[in-house]
Amino acid sequence: MIFIVILLAFYLAFNLGANDVANAMGTSVGSKAVTLKQALIIAGVLEFTGAVLFGHEVSETLATKIANPNLFASTPQMLMNGMITVLLSCGLWLQIATSRGLPVSSSHAVVGAIAGFSWVALGVDAIDWSSIGKITLAWIVTPVISGVIAGLFYSQIRRWILAQPHQLLQMNEWIPWLSAMLLGIFGVIVLPSVTQPLANFLIEEVGVKIPTHDISLCVGGIAAVGLSLYSWRELERRSEGQGGQGEMVNNQQPTTNNQQPIVERLFAKFQLLSACFVAFAHGSNDVGNAIAPLAAIVYIHNTGTVPIGGIAIPIWILVLGGAGIVIGLAIWGKKVIATIGESIISLQPSSGFCAELATASTILLASRLGLPVSTSHALVGGVVGVGLVQNPKSVQFKTLQGIATAWLVTVPVSAGLSAVIFSIARIL
């Protein structure tokens, strides 16, 4: 039984990697900031690292709050069956969506699956309708906020850099601000979890007590200065053939020998770094969607009780989740990458960078407001926001109709699948 459950958890992680991770890397591939092969390697390494090193905290929370454990205290076997149902129904829905190249939210699929089996097991009162309401609100709010932020970012970059007659000189002045924005926004998401072990080491081994946020600020500041210095050197090297001026010729950007615009090549560096942050943060957070049910099942199997408080996540479960995500991305991630990177608008590194920056900003803002956001929703909204600023006619609204439909049906479809599978399992 446990072996079958492990296979189901790997199946869910596989499909989560093929859909969620793929859509996160889609803008980088679509803008040609990285090749598909490079994206698979970068995402594979960082997703796996984030999942194994920092995925336990989110997984512990989901394993004990994914359904109200107090309602199942007297029937742990029922909760175990429900978690098995979550693994299977979420995996099925993500596979269906991925086969059609549609980016959907794994978090919303998990919530829908929980609602489905809880309704069958304990009745309608077992469902947290306030959470369903927040998710419904997030469907509308998340892409709109991300689109507005991405549009604002891109409009300013286009005004002050891309549309200027001396692009390289303008880019030279903007490099520190772009570095600060990139490392400031993504640093708030990634650096606290990375610097926490360093803070613990200083307290326990050295006896120096430094607040974790001070360490994060220091690391982020040093990184921003280093990125600025590197970018200035890179811009100087690439502009040597342009006489150091970088004037536009016939309304065209100054280019390198292989006809790629110099400014866009530098934006590709920034977008590559933002893609690394996205992959690491996604691995440390969303791996919980795949392995939290498995962790709860293993706990119930070993103890015969429902996990009321926090539980320890075995390292082998984290490795299983990370491996499933990476293999799913490598084998089946191309479809969703193509949808995000090519089928909505034609992306350049500058526009892709703005979309990813807006996605991170939206996630931070929504987390402060307590809204359960989806990276998929935010990223699609960011891409559309950039497209509307560039040229509204370039946006492929037919593609967006399919994506929006998939978003709307994610919770009810996963809930229906879960309810049917749980009912059959209970009869058997």
Side-chain angles (χ1 to χ4, degrees), residues 62-356:
L62 290 174
T64 55
K65 296 182 179 179
I66 198 167
N68 187 348
N70 294 309
L71 298 176
F72 296 92
S74 60
T75 55
Q77 183 65 39
M78 184 180 291
L79 179 59
M80 180 186 288
N81 292 341
M83 293 299 185
I84 295 172
T85 300
V86 170
L87 292 173
L88 182 55
S89 56
C90 288
L92 282 172
W93 171 238
L94 288 176
Q95 181 178 356
I96 293 169
T98 304
S99 68
R100 302 182 67 84
L102 298 173
V104 295
S105 169
S106 60
S107 303
H108 292 180
V110 169
V111 171
I114 294 164
F117 94 78
S118 298
W119 192 329
V120 174
L122 300 173
V124 68
D125 294 334
I127 299 175
D128 187 353
W129 290 105
S130 63
S131 295
I132 301 294
K134 286 182 178 180
I135 288 175
T136 303
L137 178 63
W139 279 336
I140 303 170
V141 173
T142 301
V144 171
I145 293 177
S146 184
V148 170
I149 295 174
L152 289 173
F153 279 157
Y154 185 74
S155 64
Q156 296 307 303
I157 285 177
R158 186 172 68 170
R159 177 183 178 184
W160 295 107
I161 300 176
L162 302 180
Q164 293 293 318
H166 302 284
Q167 288 188 358
L168 302 185
L169 293 177
Q170 290 296 111
M171 187 67 179
N172 190 68
E173 295 180 4
W174 272 80
I175 279 174
W177 301 106
L178 293 173
S179 301
M181 278 196 300
L182 173 63
L183 290 163
I185 293 172
F186 280 103
V188 173
I189 299 174
V190 175
L191 286 180
S193 59
V194 175
T195 56
Q196 185 63 53
L198 177 59
N200 295 337
F201 174 80
L202 291 174
I203 294 173
E204 297 171 4
E205 303 297 332
V206 184
V208 178
K209 187 175 183 180
I210 302 177
T212 304
H213 61 266
D214 286 355
I215 298 177
S216 299
L217 287 172
C218 181
V219 172
I222 293 172
V225 172
L227 180 60
S228 297
L229 293 174
Y230 168 80
S231 300
W232 274 325
R233 191 181 306 115
E234 186 74 6
L235 187 64
E236 182 180 1
R237 183 178 67 83
R238 290 183 178 276
S239 63
E240 286 178 355
Q242 303 294 327
Q245 298 300 313
E247 296 91 345
M248 294 178 68
V249 181
N250 297 325
N251 294 320
Q252 297 296 317
Q253 296 186 33
T255 62
T256 55
N257 292 333
N258 59 356
Q259 295 305 307
Q260 293 173 317
I262 295 175
V263 169
E264 292 292 351
R265 292 304 302 164
L266 193 58
F267 269 114
K269 302 287 186 181
F270 283 97
Q271 192 183 5
L272 173 61
L273 188 57
S274 68
C276 292
F277 283 132
V278 167
F280 185 86
H282 184 274
S284 59
N285 282 274
D286 282 26
V287 70
N289 291 332
I291 66 172
L294 173 60
I297 292 168
V298 170
Y299 181 91
I300 296 171
H301 178 267
N302 292 337
T303 66
T305 61
V306 170
I308 302 296
I311 63 173
I313 307 295
I315 187 66
W316 69 266
I317 291 183
L318 293 170
V319 171
L320 176 76
I325 287 175
V326 171
I327 294 172
L329 170 67
I331 293 178
W332 213 24
K334 296 179 182 179
K335 285 180 174 289
V336 177
I337 285 177
T339 299
I340 294 291
E342 301 170 4
S343 299
I344 300 178
I345 64 170
S346 178
L347 286 167
Q348 296 292 326
S350 56
S351 53
F353 172 72
C354 291
E356 289 182 2

